[in-house]
Amino acid sequence: VTVAGGSDIAGHTSDVVLSRVDLGLVPWFLDASAQTRRIIRQNLAWAIGYNGIALSLAALGMITPGIAAAAMASSSLLVVGNSLRLRHLLRRVEEGEGA
């Protein structure tokens, strides 16, 4: 982790560069990365589950292409909506709550 104002080499080689000189952001960053990973896993589980079921039903001729397309669109909206839950993390830092 490199804090703003550090050397350029440290900034280029570190995994995280904090834009403010505030080490209180480190716990926030760790929490945000854990929540991001959790939501990515949820989205992958949803997509794999949907595709497994929808592909099976479509292959067996149990759903029409129109229904499959509508279900795929709603699946995409669900994944995007689930990902949007991460916006509250950024708001929390912008409001100055930090960790």
Side-chain angles (χ1 to χ4, degrees), residues 1-4 15-34 92-93 97-99:
V1 175
T2 301
V3 180
D15 292 327
V16 178
V17 178
L18 299 177
S19 60
R20 296 185 244 174
V21 183
D22 181 9
L23 290 179
L25 291 174
V26 173
W28 172 85
F29 173 75
L30 294 175
D31 180 50
S33 63
R92 209 169 77 192
V93 167
E97 290 181 29

Side-chain angles (χ1 to χ4, degrees), residues 17-92:
V17 178
L18 299 177
S19 60
R20 296 185 244 174
V21 183
D22 181 9
L23 290 179
L25 291 174
V26 173
W28 172 85
F29 173 75
L30 294 175
D31 180 50
S33 63
Q35 287 185 20
T36 301
R37 183 173 305 190
R38 193 173 316 117
I39 288 180
I40 288 171
R41 286 183 179 151
Q42 290 171 1
N43 288 342
L44 284 172
W46 171 253
I48 290 169
Y50 165 79
N51 286 325
I53 293 170
L55 183 62
S56 300
L57 292 175
L60 294 172
M62 299 176 107
I63 58 174
T64 64
I67 293 172
M72 186 61 188
S74 63
S75 171
S76 297
L77 288 174
L78 180 74
V79 167
V80 170
N82 192 30
S83 299
L84 287 175
R85 294 186 310 145
L86 292 171
R87 290 186 305 169
H88 79 281
L89 293 172
L90 184 59
R91 277 194 219 123
R92 209 169 77 192

